[in-house]
Amino acid sequence: MPTPKYKRILIKLSGEALMGDDSYGINRDVIDRIVSEIGDVIQLGVEVAVVVGGGNIFRGVAPASAGMDRATADYMGMLATVMNALALQDAMRRAGLIARVQSALTIQQVAEPYIRGKALRYLEEGKVVIFGAGTGNPFFTTDTAAALRASEMAAQVVLKATKVDGVYTADPKTDPEATRYDRLSFDEAISKNLKVMDATALALCRDQKMPLCVFSIFKHGALKRVVMGEDEGTLVEC
Protein backbone atom coordinates (compact mmCIF):
# COMPACT_ATOMS: atom_id res chain seq x y z
CA MET A 1 0.00 0.00 0.00
CA PRO A 2 1.41 3.46 -0.92
CA THR A 3 2.37 5.76 1.95
CA PRO A 4 0.32 8.95 2.27
CA LYS A 5 2.15 12.27 2.58
CA TYR A 6 -0.21 13.34 5.35
CA LYS A 7 -1.19 11.09 8.27
CA ARG A 8 -3.72 13.45 9.89
CA ILE A 9 -5.78 15.93 7.91
CA LEU A 10 -8.57 18.41 8.50
CA ILE A 11 -11.04 18.90 5.66
CA LYS A 12 -12.86 22.23 5.46
CA LEU A 13 -16.05 21.32 3.61
CA SER A 14 -18.19 24.23 2.51
CA GLY A 15 -21.93 23.98 2.95
CA GLU A 16 -22.33 24.99 -0.69
CA ALA A 17 -20.43 21.86 -1.74
CA LEU A 18 -23.21 19.75 -0.23
CA MET A 19 -25.85 21.38 -2.44
CA GLY A 20 -24.55 20.02 -5.72
CA ASP A 21 -26.58 21.80 -8.39
CA ASP A 22 -29.50 22.47 -6.04
CA SER A 23 -30.31 26.01 -4.93
CA TYR A 24 -30.03 25.11 -1.24
CA GLY A 25 -30.22 22.14 1.11
CA ILE A 26 -28.34 18.84 0.93
CA ASN A 27 -28.06 16.72 -2.19
CA ARG A 28 -28.08 13.06 -1.18
CA ASP A 29 -25.99 11.87 -4.13
CA VAL A 30 -23.39 14.58 -3.56
CA ILE A 31 -22.95 13.89 0.15
CA ASP A 32 -22.65 10.15 -0.52
CA ARG A 33 -19.97 10.80 -3.14
CA ILE A 34 -18.04 13.04 -0.74
CA VAL A 35 -18.21 10.37 1.96
CA SER A 36 -16.91 7.81 -0.52
CA GLU A 37 -13.89 10.05 -1.24
CA ILE A 38 -13.23 10.38 2.50
CA GLY A 39 -13.56 6.61 2.93
CA ASP A 40 -10.86 6.06 0.31
CA VAL A 41 -8.28 8.06 2.31
CA ILE A 42 -9.29 6.44 5.59
CA GLN A 43 -8.43 3.08 4.02
CA LEU A 44 -4.90 4.44 3.60
CA GLY A 45 -4.66 4.87 7.37
CA VAL A 46 -5.19 8.64 7.31
CA GLU A 47 -6.88 10.23 10.34
CA VAL A 48 -9.64 12.62 9.24
CA ALA A 49 -11.31 15.57 10.92
CA VAL A 50 -13.92 17.72 9.18
CA VAL A 51 -15.16 21.27 9.70
CA VAL A 52 -18.36 21.85 7.76
CA GLY A 53 -19.95 25.14 6.76
CA GLY A 54 -23.65 25.99 6.75
CA GLY A 55 -24.22 28.20 3.73
CA ASN A 56 -26.42 25.65 1.98
CA ILE A 57 -28.90 25.58 4.87
CA PHE A 58 -28.73 29.26 5.78
CA ARG A 59 -29.20 30.26 2.13
CA GLY A 60 -32.76 29.01 2.32
CA VAL A 61 -33.61 31.50 5.07
CA ALA A 62 -31.35 34.33 3.90
CA PRO A 63 -34.14 36.55 2.51
CA ALA A 64 -35.97 36.43 5.84
CA SER A 65 -32.77 37.28 7.73
CA ALA A 66 -32.13 40.54 5.86
CA GLY A 67 -31.48 43.32 8.34
CA MET A 68 -31.01 40.88 11.20
CA ASP A 69 -28.50 41.54 13.98
CA ARG A 70 -25.13 40.10 12.84
CA ALA A 71 -24.53 38.08 16.00
CA THR A 72 -28.00 36.51 15.81
CA ALA A 73 -27.49 35.65 12.14
CA ASP A 74 -24.11 34.09 12.95
CA TYR A 75 -25.63 31.90 15.66
CA MET A 76 -28.26 30.74 13.16
CA GLY A 77 -25.43 29.91 10.77
CA MET A 78 -23.73 27.86 13.50
CA LEU A 79 -26.90 25.82 13.94
CA ALA A 80 -26.92 25.23 10.19
CA THR A 81 -23.41 23.79 10.40
CA VAL A 82 -24.57 21.37 13.10
CA MET A 83 -27.38 20.21 10.79
CA ASN A 84 -24.82 19.56 8.06
CA ALA A 85 -22.53 17.77 10.50
CA LEU A 86 -25.34 15.42 11.51
CA ALA A 87 -26.22 14.76 7.86
CA LEU A 88 -22.58 14.00 7.11
CA GLN A 89 -22.34 11.70 10.13
CA ASP A 90 -25.44 9.80 8.99
CA ALA A 91 -24.06 9.42 5.47
CA MET A 92 -20.84 8.05 6.94
CA ARG A 93 -22.80 5.59 9.05
CA ARG A 94 -24.55 4.31 5.93
CA ALA A 95 -21.15 3.91 4.29
CA GLY A 96 -19.78 1.90 7.21
CA LEU A 97 -17.60 4.69 8.62
CA ILE A 98 -17.61 5.64 12.30
CA ALA A 99 -17.99 9.37 12.91
CA ARG A 100 -18.51 11.59 15.92
CA VAL A 101 -19.99 15.09 15.87
CA GLN A 102 -18.64 17.65 18.31
CA SER A 103 -20.33 21.04 18.58
CA ALA A 104 -18.84 24.30 19.83
CA LEU A 105 -22.37 25.14 21.00
CA THR A 106 -23.88 22.96 23.73
CA ILE A 107 -26.60 20.83 22.13
CA GLN A 108 -26.12 17.62 24.07
CA GLN A 109 -29.25 15.92 22.74
CA VAL A 110 -27.81 15.80 19.22
CA ALA A 111 -24.03 16.30 19.48
CA GLU A 112 -21.18 16.04 21.94
CA PRO A 113 -19.67 19.27 23.25
CA TYR A 114 -16.25 20.05 21.79
CA ILE A 115 -13.59 18.48 24.01
CA ARG A 116 -10.10 18.52 22.55
CA GLY A 117 -8.80 15.41 24.35
CA LYS A 118 -11.84 13.37 23.33
CA ALA A 119 -11.52 14.48 19.70
CA LEU A 120 -7.85 13.49 19.64
CA ARG A 121 -8.68 10.07 21.06
CA TYR A 122 -11.37 9.54 18.42
CA LEU A 123 -8.87 10.35 15.68
CA GLU A 124 -6.33 7.93 17.13
CA GLU A 125 -9.06 5.25 17.15
CA GLY A 126 -9.68 5.78 13.43
CA LYS A 127 -12.99 7.60 13.83
CA VAL A 128 -13.87 10.67 11.78
CA VAL A 129 -14.47 13.75 13.93
CA ILE A 130 -16.89 16.32 12.50
CA PHE A 131 -16.76 19.75 14.13
CA GLY A 132 -19.97 21.79 14.04
CA ALA A 133 -20.94 25.31 15.13
CA GLY A 134 -17.69 26.90 14.00
CA THR A 135 -15.70 28.36 16.87
CA GLY A 136 -18.88 28.91 18.88
CA ASN A 137 -18.49 32.68 18.56
CA PRO A 138 -20.16 35.15 16.19
CA PHE A 139 -18.02 37.18 13.78
CA PHE A 140 -15.70 34.20 13.16
CA THR A 141 -16.11 32.14 9.99
CA THR A 142 -15.93 28.38 9.60
CA ASP A 143 -12.66 29.00 7.71
CA THR A 144 -11.22 30.36 10.95
CA ALA A 145 -12.74 27.41 12.81
CA ALA A 146 -10.97 25.05 10.40
CA ALA A 147 -7.59 26.71 10.99
CA LEU A 148 -8.18 26.66 14.75
CA ARG A 149 -9.31 23.03 14.98
CA ALA A 150 -6.51 21.89 12.67
CA SER A 151 -3.99 23.49 15.01
CA GLU A 152 -5.64 21.97 18.08
CA MET A 153 -5.77 18.51 16.47
CA ALA A 154 -2.11 18.73 15.34
CA ALA A 155 -3.24 18.12 11.76
CA GLN A 156 -0.54 18.24 9.10
CA VAL A 157 -2.61 20.12 6.54
CA VAL A 158 -5.94 21.90 6.04
CA LEU A 159 -7.73 20.76 2.90
CA LYS A 160 -10.33 23.24 1.66
CA ALA A 161 -12.79 21.17 -0.38
CA THR A 162 -14.70 23.37 -2.80
CA LYS A 163 -16.35 23.35 -6.22
CA VAL A 164 -13.25 24.91 -7.82
CA ASP A 165 -10.04 22.97 -8.46
CA GLY A 166 -7.70 25.52 -6.91
CA VAL A 167 -6.94 29.21 -6.57
CA TYR A 168 -7.02 31.28 -9.75
CA THR A 169 -5.68 34.69 -10.77
CA ALA A 170 -9.29 35.68 -11.48
CA ASP A 171 -12.72 34.09 -11.51
CA PRO A 172 -12.41 31.29 -14.12
CA LYS A 173 -16.17 31.42 -14.71
CA THR A 174 -16.00 34.98 -16.02
CA ASP A 175 -12.38 35.30 -17.18
CA PRO A 176 -11.19 32.71 -19.73
CA GLU A 177 -7.63 33.99 -19.28
CA ALA A 178 -7.59 33.10 -15.57
CA THR A 179 -4.84 30.66 -14.61
CA ARG A 180 -4.52 28.40 -11.61
CA TYR A 181 -1.77 28.84 -9.06
CA ASP A 182 0.11 25.63 -8.27
CA ARG A 183 1.67 27.14 -5.15
CA LEU A 184 1.25 30.32 -3.15
CA SER A 185 2.61 31.80 0.04
CA PHE A 186 0.21 32.95 2.73
CA ASP A 187 1.54 36.49 2.38
CA GLU A 188 0.77 36.43 -1.36
CA ALA A 189 -2.75 35.13 -0.76
CA ILE A 190 -3.41 37.87 1.80
CA SER A 191 -1.80 40.75 -0.11
CA LYS A 192 -3.48 39.82 -3.41
CA ASN A 193 -6.84 39.29 -1.66
CA LEU A 194 -7.30 35.98 -3.48
CA LYS A 195 -10.26 34.83 -1.38
CA VAL A 196 -8.58 31.54 -0.50
CA MET A 197 -9.91 31.85 3.04
CA ASP A 198 -10.67 34.85 5.17
CA ALA A 199 -7.66 36.83 6.38
CA THR A 200 -7.99 35.64 9.98
CA ALA A 201 -7.84 31.98 8.93
CA LEU A 202 -4.91 32.59 6.59
CA ALA A 203 -2.99 34.45 9.30
CA LEU A 204 -3.60 31.65 11.80
CA CYS A 205 -2.42 29.00 9.32
CA ARG A 206 0.64 31.09 8.53
CA ASP A 207 1.51 31.63 12.18
CA GLN A 208 1.12 27.91 12.91
CA LYS A 209 3.02 26.98 9.71
CA MET A 210 -0.03 24.93 8.70
CA PRO A 211 -0.11 24.25 4.94
CA LEU A 212 -3.41 24.70 3.15
CA CYS A 213 -4.52 22.98 -0.04
CA VAL A 214 -7.52 24.20 -2.06
CA PHE A 215 -9.00 21.56 -4.37
CA SER A 216 -12.24 20.38 -5.93
CA ILE A 217 -14.06 17.71 -3.96
CA PHE A 218 -16.05 16.99 -7.14
CA LYS A 219 -13.05 15.64 -9.06
CA HIS A 220 -13.02 11.89 -8.56
CA GLY A 221 -9.97 10.83 -6.56
CA ALA A 222 -8.79 14.41 -5.96
CA LEU A 223 -8.82 14.08 -2.17
CA LYS A 224 -6.73 10.93 -2.35
CA ARG A 225 -4.27 12.58 -4.73
CA VAL A 226 -3.85 15.52 -2.36
CA VAL A 227 -3.25 13.20 0.59
CA MET A 228 -0.66 11.29 -1.43
CA GLY A 229 1.18 14.53 -2.19
CA GLU A 230 0.41 14.56 -5.91
CA ASP A 231 -0.07 17.72 -7.97
CA GLU A 232 -3.70 18.56 -7.23
CA GLY A 233 -5.25 21.93 -6.46
CA THR A 234 -3.31 24.88 -5.07
CA LEU A 235 -0.93 24.52 -2.14
CA VAL A 236 -0.60 27.55 0.13
CA GLU A 237 2.32 27.46 2.56
CA CYS A 238 4.86 29.65 4.32
Side-chain angles (χ1 to χ4, degrees), residues 41 104 126 228:
V41 301
M228 297 304 297

Side-chain angles (χ1 to χ4, degrees), residues 3-63:
T3 303
K5 179 179 179 180
Y6 305 109
K7 297 292 188 180
R8 179 177 293 175
I9 64 174
L10 184 137
I11 301 171
K12 168 51 174 60
L13 183 62
S14 68
E16 287 77 4
L18 300 178
M19 296 189 305
D21 294 325
D22 299 341
S23 56
Y24 63 89
I26 299 169
N27 185 295
R28 170 74 176 269
D29 292 336
V30 167
I31 197 170
D32 286 346
R33 188 164 66 247
I34 290 172
V35 167
S36 175
E37 298 281 325
I38 293 173
D40 287 344
V41 301
I42 289 175
Q43 289 182 354
L44 297 173
V46 177
E47 297 172 357
V48 179
V50 181
V51 167
V52 64
N56 60 315
I57 302 293
F58 197 64
R59 181 175 295 185
V61 297

Side-chain angles (χ1 to χ4, degrees), residues 58 64-77 138-139:
F58 197 64
S65 67
M68 183 180 293
D69 174 74
R70 168 65 190 274
T72 300
D74 281 358
Y75 280 118
M76 290 174 64
F139 306 103

Side-chain angles (χ1 to χ4, degrees), residues 17 48 56 63 77 87 90 92 95 111 115 147 225:
V48 179
N56 60 315
D90 186 69
M92 289 185 176
I115 300 174
R225 289 192 291 274

Side-chain angles (χ1 to χ4, degrees), residues 92-122:
M92 289 185 176
R93 177 190 58 78
R94 294 195 308 270
L97 303 177
I98 302 174
R100 296 289 183 266
V101 174
Q102 290 199 346
S103 170
L105 296 178
T106 303
I107 320 175
Q108 292 187 1
Q109 288 86 347
V110 296
E112 298 179 14
Y114 170 64
I115 300 174
R116 177 175 178 267
K118 224 175 187 183
L120 286 168
R121 188 171 75 247
Y122 287 151

